[in-house]
Amino acid sequence: MSYSAKIGPSILSSDLACLGSECVRMMECGADYLHLDVMDGHFVPNITFGHPMVECLRNCVGPDPFFDMHMMVSRPEQWVKPMAAAGANQYTFHLETTTNAGNLIKEIRESGMKVGLAIKPGTTVEELAPWAGQIDMALVMTVEPGFGGQKFMEDMMPKVSWLRSQFPSLDIEVDGGVGPSTIHKCAEAGANMIVSGSAVVSSDDPRSVITMLRTAVSEAMQKRSLDR
Ligand code: DX5
Ligand code: ZN
């Protein structure tokens, strides 16, 4: 087993006027990486921030924190180089936004970033499968992308289970409505990279929530390896 349990807070639910200190706070509370949600108002009905903000965040947090860029944008090709230059580590684009995923994967790698491939709830996992051998991470959305604080869609779990069975060492991320009450479903299905926004950021004790989420994933991984 080559993957491990990692928790990536989504800072979308934090006070956006304090993004730098919120990123630092999440890392101090034990986050394994930071999940940064970029929205363009076209692919999703909301706008957040772009590469200038990412560059400022990188300067603020230093070189170490891993930035997983969740690109909810209509033209992901446009932002590969600017995001790499701004200090992004992984570029996660949506399969729905491109007709040439292969080329985009190549461009992301050539820019020195890892590759994540995301699917919305309405996109089947079979559509992602042909690319699974070429990517570092598959993101199964568990809400319609666009907003934090939505209800977890449990009916996405078969996608995660199927991916885990087909690609045993792939990083599989879930995003949307994931917190202490829904983590067990994700962990049992086989997700190992856990995005959690409001459940972590709005908690009085983010450190405990992050630890709890990671423990749930690690225990499910151990159980799977014993069952094999
Ligand atoms: C939604 C974003 C998520 C969101 C998660 O489109 O991709 O990353 O911030 O927030 P919660 O965990 O509150 O659903
Ligand atoms: Zn996200």
Side-chain angles (χ1 to χ4, degrees):
M1 193 189 301
S2 60
Y3 61 90
S4 60
K6 297 190 192 105
I7 311 302
S10 158
I11 47 154
L12 190 59
S13 330
S14 57
D15 181 347
L16 298 180
C18 311
L19 271 192
S21 57
E22 283 294 273
C23 286
V24 170
R25 184 171 75 101
M26 288 300 119
M27 294 309 295
E28 285 173 356
C29 286
D32 297 291
Y33 67 102
L34 295 169
H35 177 89
L36 303 181
D37 291 297
V38 174
M39 305 186 189
D40 67 352
H42 291 275
F43 179 63
V44 289
N46 197 4
I47 298 181
T48 56
F49 51 80
H51 56 93
M53 173 74 92
V54 176
E55 188 177 345
C56 293
L57 290 177
R58 176 57 75 200
N59 289 337
C60 177
V61 302
D64 292 338
F66 185 90
F67 285 180
D68 169 31
M69 305 306 311
H70 182 188
M71 301 301 296
M72 289 166 274
V73 301
S74 293
R75 295 173 57 199
E77 296 81 7
Q78 194 175 347
W79 310 112
V80 173
K81 286 190 174 67
M83 280 298 177
N89 301 100
Q90 176 160 280
Y91 195 91
T92 301
F93 67 97
H94 269 267
L95 185 57
E96 301 85 6
T97 60
T98 180
T99 50
N100 198 342
N103 199 45
L104 188 48
I105 289 169
K106 189 165 159 280
E107 279 177 25
I108 296 168
R109 283 216 189 287
E110 284 172 359
S111 299
M113 296 182 288
K114 292 178 109 177
V115 181
L117 182 53
I119 50 172
K120 297 209 293 184
T123 304
T124 66
V125 80
E126 285 79 11
E127 293 169 75
L128 183 149
W131 307 107
Q134 299 178 42
I135 60 177
D136 297 290
M137 186 196 84
L139 164 53
V140 175
M141 288 302 298
T142 45
V143 296
E144 285 297 340
F147 302 90
Q150 302 183 75
K151 188 172 180 293
F152 176 74
M153 297 170 72
E154 190 178 337
D155 55 343
M156 295 299 116
M157 292 304 98
K159 293 187 188 178
V160 175
S161 310
W162 187 84
L163 277 175
R164 180 52 72 218
S165 69
Q166 299 297 308
F167 305 100
S169 58
L170 182 66
D171 276 327
I172 303 176
E173 185 178 63
V174 283
D175 179 12
V178 182
S181 59
T182 51
I183 186 63
H184 293 286
K185 304 277 181 211
C186 303
E188 278 157 28
N192 67 299
M193 291 184 70
I194 308 299
V195 177
S196 186
S198 37
V200 169
V201 172
S202 313
S203 162
D204 293 336
D205 188 358
R207 176 180 294 277
S208 299
V209 178
I210 289 172
T211 304
M212 184 270 165
L213 297 175
R214 193 187 296 109
T215 303
V217 175
S218 298
E219 285 177 357
M221 280 166 58
Q222 255 170 3
K223 184 167 182 300
R224 255 196 313 281
S225 69
L226 290 176
D227 288 349
R228 261 189 282 149

